[in-house]
Amino acid sequence: MPIDGTKALTAIFDEIKDLALKMFVGVIIFVPIDGALGLIFKYLSSILKIESNILPFFLLWKSYEVIKWIYHNTNIYLTFLILSLFLYALRKVIYILRQPLILDKIKGDYTLFIRDKHEAELFEKLKESVIKQFKADKKFSNVIWRISEEYIKNNDYFLYLLLGKDYYSSDMQKGTRKLTRYLSSEAAS
């Protein structure tokens, strides 16, 4: 069977596009954080009356100097490779740190984003119903026992991840219909 060159080139370009997008995301997040951290350090050093040469975009400037040095002492291909690896590593660090620093804080309790008290109560009933269903399910009873029911009750994002783990769309649709009927009957009572 002959190899289709178009499919191979498309796959290569898709991978390059994905890699470039990940590196671009690293830069987009790195630059504002670097600027903000520089401002914070500058402000703290002025308050504490400490001599400091850290300015906004300090890390960006130092990175630029290193890349410039590599460019002048090697060739452009090696410089491009090192720059790409640096941006890719930067994106990976940001990706790893975003979960504990940002996502866990935001996604811990979804009721914080619900303004209507009635909707928040319905959401809590939904959560209790799902946890009760998990406790009855043999696949998840060990998980709930090991992690603790309290952690799952207080972390909506983790509950969401558990729901997506083994419940397929048809099961979810059936369960959603049952749960909607149940919650509607509870709200009517």
Side-chain angles (χ1 to χ4, degrees):
M1 186 160 136
I3 297 174
D4 186 10
T6 307
K7 287 183 181 177
L9 282 175
T10 304
I12 290 170
F13 284 124
D14 284 345
E15 287 298 318
I16 291 171
K17 177 185 69 172
D18 186 47
L19 186 64
L21 183 64
K22 287 178 180 177
M23 289 186 297
F24 184 69
V25 167
V27 170
I28 293 296
I29 294 173
F30 171 70
V31 170
I33 289 174
D34 185 28
L37 286 176
L39 286 173
I40 290 169
F41 282 123
K42 178 104 172 131
Y43 180 72
L44 287 175
S45 66
S46 69
I47 288 176
L48 300 173
K49 295 182 172 61
I50 299 172
E51 187 71 32
S52 174
N53 62 348
I54 296 178
L55 298 171
F57 306 109
F58 178 77
L59 294 175
L60 185 66
W61 181 252
K62 290 299 180 186
S63 302
Y64 171 73
E65 287 179 354
V66 169
I67 294 296
K68 188 169 79 170
W69 181 86
I70 291 170
Y71 174 71
H72 288 298
N73 292 317
T74 63
N75 60 20
I76 192 163
Y77 302 112
L78 186 61
T79 305
F80 181 72
L81 177 67
I82 290 172
L83 178 63
S84 298
L85 289 173
F86 170 71
L87 294 176
Y88 185 75
L90 182 67
R91 194 279 183 179
K92 282 295 186 187
V93 167
I94 291 168
Y95 182 79
I96 291 167
L97 291 178
R98 76 183 170 94
Q99 185 68 39
L101 296 178
I102 299 169
L103 295 180
D104 285 348
K105 305 292 186 262
I106 292 172
K107 295 180 178 181
D109 185 10
Y110 290 155
T111 57
L112 295 174
F113 303 107
I114 300 174
R115 289 200 162 94
D116 185 20
K117 203 173 203 176
H118 179 68
E119 285 181 23
E121 289 171 1
L122 284 176
F123 184 78
E124 289 299 325
K125 285 182 182 180
L126 172 67
K127 193 164 48 170
E128 289 170 14
S129 172
V130 168
I131 291 171
K132 192 185 309 180
Q133 183 78 21
F134 277 159
K135 285 173 29 179
D137 192 342
K138 290 180 183 177
K139 289 184 274 188
F140 293 104
S141 60
N142 282 339
V143 172
I144 291 175
W145 178 76
R146 286 183 183 154
I147 294 175
S148 94
E149 186 177 333
E150 196 63 32
Y151 178 77
I152 294 173
K153 282 182 181 178
N154 294 330
N155 193 332
D156 295 337
Y157 183 63
F158 188 75
L159 186 61
Y160 167 77
L161 292 175
L162 280 178
L163 277 171
K165 185 70 179 157
D166 278 332
Y167 284 96
Y168 300 104
S169 62
S170 63
D171 293 339
M172 290 298 288
Q173 288 171 354
K174 290 176 193 172
T176 304
R177 279 188 233 122
K178 287 180 188 176
L179 191 58
T180 306
R181 277 186 251 134
Y182 171 75
L183 290 175
S184 298
S185 66
E186 286 289 317
S189 320

PDB file of all heavy atoms in Angstrom, residues 41-52:
ATOM      1  N   PHE A  41       8.008  43.172  42.786  1.00  0.00           N
ATOM      2  CA  PHE A  41       9.337  43.220  43.407  1.00  0.00           C
ATOM      3  C   PHE A  41       9.870  44.649  43.484  1.00  0.00           C
ATOM      4  O   PHE A  41      10.489  45.026  44.473  1.00  0.00           O
ATOM      5  CB  PHE A  41      10.321  42.319  42.661  1.00  0.00           C
ATOM      6  CG  PHE A  41      10.158  40.863  42.979  1.00  0.00           C
ATOM      7  CD1 PHE A  41       9.914  39.947  41.970  1.00  0.00           C
ATOM      8  CD2 PHE A  41      10.246  40.407  44.282  1.00  0.00           C
ATOM      9  CE1 PHE A  41       9.764  38.606  42.250  1.00  0.00           C
ATOM     10  CE2 PHE A  41      10.096  39.065  44.576  1.00  0.00           C
ATOM     11  CZ  PHE A  41       9.847  38.160  43.561  1.00  0.00           C
ATOM     12  N   LYS A  42       9.616  45.425  42.450  1.00  0.00           N
ATOM     13  CA  LYS A  42      10.064  46.824  42.459  1.00  0.00           C
ATOM     14  C   LYS A  42       9.364  47.590  43.585  1.00  0.00           C
ATOM     15  O   LYS A  42       9.990  48.350  44.318  1.00  0.00           O
ATOM     16  CB  LYS A  42       9.779  47.464  41.104  1.00  0.00           C
ATOM     17  CG  LYS A  42      10.136  48.894  40.983  1.00  0.00           C
ATOM     18  CD  LYS A  42      11.388  49.021  40.187  1.00  0.00           C
ATOM     19  CE  LYS A  42      11.621  50.490  39.925  1.00  0.00           C
ATOM     20  NZ  LYS A  42      12.960  50.851  40.248  1.00  0.00           N
ATOM     21  N   TYR A  43       8.055  47.374  43.711  1.00  0.00           N
ATOM     22  CA  TYR A  43       7.277  48.041  44.752  1.00  0.00           C
ATOM     23  C   TYR A  43       7.750  47.604  46.142  1.00  0.00           C
ATOM     24  O   TYR A  43       7.931  48.447  47.036  1.00  0.00           O
ATOM     25  CB  TYR A  43       5.792  47.729  44.554  1.00  0.00           C
ATOM     26  CG  TYR A  43       4.890  48.361  45.579  1.00  0.00           C
ATOM     27  CD1 TYR A  43       4.660  49.733  45.571  1.00  0.00           C
ATOM     28  CD2 TYR A  43       4.272  47.586  46.556  1.00  0.00           C
ATOM     29  CE1 TYR A  43       3.837  50.314  46.517  1.00  0.00           C
ATOM     30  CE2 TYR A  43       3.458  48.158  47.503  1.00  0.00           C
ATOM     31  CZ  TYR A  43       3.235  49.521  47.479  1.00  0.00           C
ATOM     32  OH  TYR A  43       2.423  50.092  48.421  1.00  0.00           O
ATOM     33  N   LEU A  44       7.942  46.305  46.338  1.00  0.00           N
ATOM     34  CA  LEU A  44       8.406  45.810  47.636  1.00  0.00           C
ATOM     35  C   LEU A  44       9.803  46.320  47.973  1.00  0.00           C
ATOM     36  O   LEU A  44      10.082  46.665  49.121  1.00  0.00           O
ATOM     37  CB  LEU A  44       8.391  44.280  47.661  1.00  0.00           C
ATOM     38  CG  LEU A  44       7.029  43.616  47.740  1.00  0.00           C
ATOM     39  CD1 LEU A  44       7.159  42.108  47.637  1.00  0.00           C
ATOM     40  CD2 LEU A  44       6.302  44.007  49.014  1.00  0.00           C
ATOM     41  N   SER A  45      10.676  46.386  46.969  1.00  0.00           N
ATOM     42  CA  SER A  45      12.025  46.884  47.244  1.00  0.00           C
ATOM     43  C   SER A  45      12.009  48.369  47.588  1.00  0.00           C
ATOM     44  O   SER A  45      12.807  48.829  48.402  1.00  0.00           O
ATOM     45  CB  SER A  45      12.958  46.616  46.060  1.00  0.00           C
ATOM     46  OG  SER A  45      12.560  47.353  44.937  1.00  0.00           O
ATOM     47  N   SER A  46      11.078  49.135  46.995  1.00  0.00           N
ATOM     48  CA  SER A  46      10.991  50.554  47.355  1.00  0.00           C
ATOM     49  C   SER A  46      10.390  50.733  48.753  1.00  0.00           C
ATOM     50  O   SER A  46      10.785  51.624  49.495  1.00  0.00           O
ATOM     51  CB  SER A  46      10.174  51.322  46.317  1.00  0.00           C
ATOM     52  OG  SER A  46       8.817  50.933  46.374  1.00  0.00           O
ATOM     53  N   ILE A  47       9.446  49.881  49.136  1.00  0.00           N
ATOM     54  CA  ILE A  47       8.853  49.963  50.472  1.00  0.00           C
ATOM     55  C   ILE A  47       9.879  49.568  51.525  1.00  0.00           C
ATOM     56  O   ILE A  47      10.011  50.227  52.555  1.00  0.00           O
ATOM     57  CB  ILE A  47       7.609  49.064  50.583  1.00  0.00           C
ATOM     58  CG1 ILE A  47       6.457  49.663  49.795  1.00  0.00           C
ATOM     59  CG2 ILE A  47       7.194  48.855  52.020  1.00  0.00           C
ATOM     60  CD1 ILE A  47       5.229  48.801  49.775  1.00  0.00           C
ATOM     61  N   LEU A  48      10.598  48.483  51.267  1.00  0.00           N
ATOM     62  CA  LEU A  48      11.575  47.980  52.229  1.00  0.00           C
ATOM     63  C   LEU A  48      12.927  48.680  52.133  1.00  0.00           C
ATOM     64  O   LEU A  48      13.840  48.371  52.891  1.00  0.00           O
ATOM     65  CB  LEU A  48      11.770  46.471  52.042  1.00  0.00           C
ATOM     66  CG  LEU A  48      10.515  45.617  52.238  1.00  0.00           C
ATOM     67  CD1 LEU A  48      10.793  44.176  51.857  1.00  0.00           C
ATOM     68  CD2 LEU A  48      10.016  45.712  53.666  1.00  0.00           C
ATOM     69  N   LYS A  49      13.020  49.606  51.172  1.00  0.00           N
ATOM     70  CA  LYS A  49      14.250  50.383  50.951  1.00  0.00           C
ATOM     71  C   LYS A  49      15.458  49.465  50.730  1.00  0.00           C
ATOM     72  O   LYS A  49      16.515  49.623  51.335  1.00  0.00           O
ATOM     73  CB  LYS A  49      14.490  51.340  52.096  1.00  0.00           C
ATOM     74  CG  LYS A  49      13.417  52.402  52.199  1.00  0.00           C
ATOM     75  CD  LYS A  49      13.708  53.370  53.300  1.00  0.00           C
ATOM     76  CE  LYS A  49      12.817  54.518  53.348  1.00  0.00           C
ATOM     77  NZ  LYS A  49      11.504  54.557  53.530  1.00  0.00           N
ATOM     78  N   ILE A  50      15.246  48.499  49.836  1.00  0.00           N
ATOM     79  CA  ILE A  50      16.291  47.555  49.461  1.00  0.00           C
ATOM     80  C   ILE A  50      16.726  47.884  48.042  1.00  0.00           C
ATOM     81  O   ILE A  50      15.894  48.122  47.160  1.00  0.00           O
ATOM     82  CB  ILE A  50      15.777  46.103  49.533  1.00  0.00           C
ATOM     83  CG1 ILE A  50      15.336  45.748  50.940  1.00  0.00           C
ATOM     84  CG2 ILE A  50      16.830  45.128  49.026  1.00  0.00           C
ATOM     85  CD1 ILE A  50      14.653  44.406  51.051  1.00  0.00           C
ATOM     86  N   GLU A  51      18.017  47.850  47.811  1.00  0.00           N
ATOM     87  CA  GLU A  51      18.550  48.077  46.469  1.00  0.00           C
ATOM     88  C   GLU A  51      18.273  46.832  45.622  1.00  0.00           C
ATOM     89  O   GLU A  51      18.670  45.728  45.990  1.00  0.00           O
ATOM     90  CB  GLU A  51      20.057  48.335  46.539  1.00  0.00           C
ATOM     91  CG  GLU A  51      20.677  48.745  45.244  1.00  0.00           C
ATOM     92  CD  GLU A  51      20.281  50.145  44.808  1.00  0.00           C
ATOM     93  OE1 GLU A  51      20.052  51.011  45.665  1.00  0.00           O
ATOM     94  OE2 GLU A  51      20.201  50.357  43.589  1.00  0.00           O
ATOM     95  N   SER A  52      17.581  47.006  44.513  1.00  0.00           N
ATOM     96  CA  SER A  52      17.238  45.873  43.661  1.00  0.00           C
ATOM     97  C   SER A  52      17.298  46.283  42.202  1.00  0.00           C
ATOM     98  O   SER A  52      16.888  47.388  41.840  1.00  0.00           O
ATOM     99  CB  SER A  52      15.837  45.363  44.000  1.00  0.00           C
ATOM    100  OG  SER A  52      15.454  44.363  43.107  1.00  0.00           O
TER     101      SER A  52
END
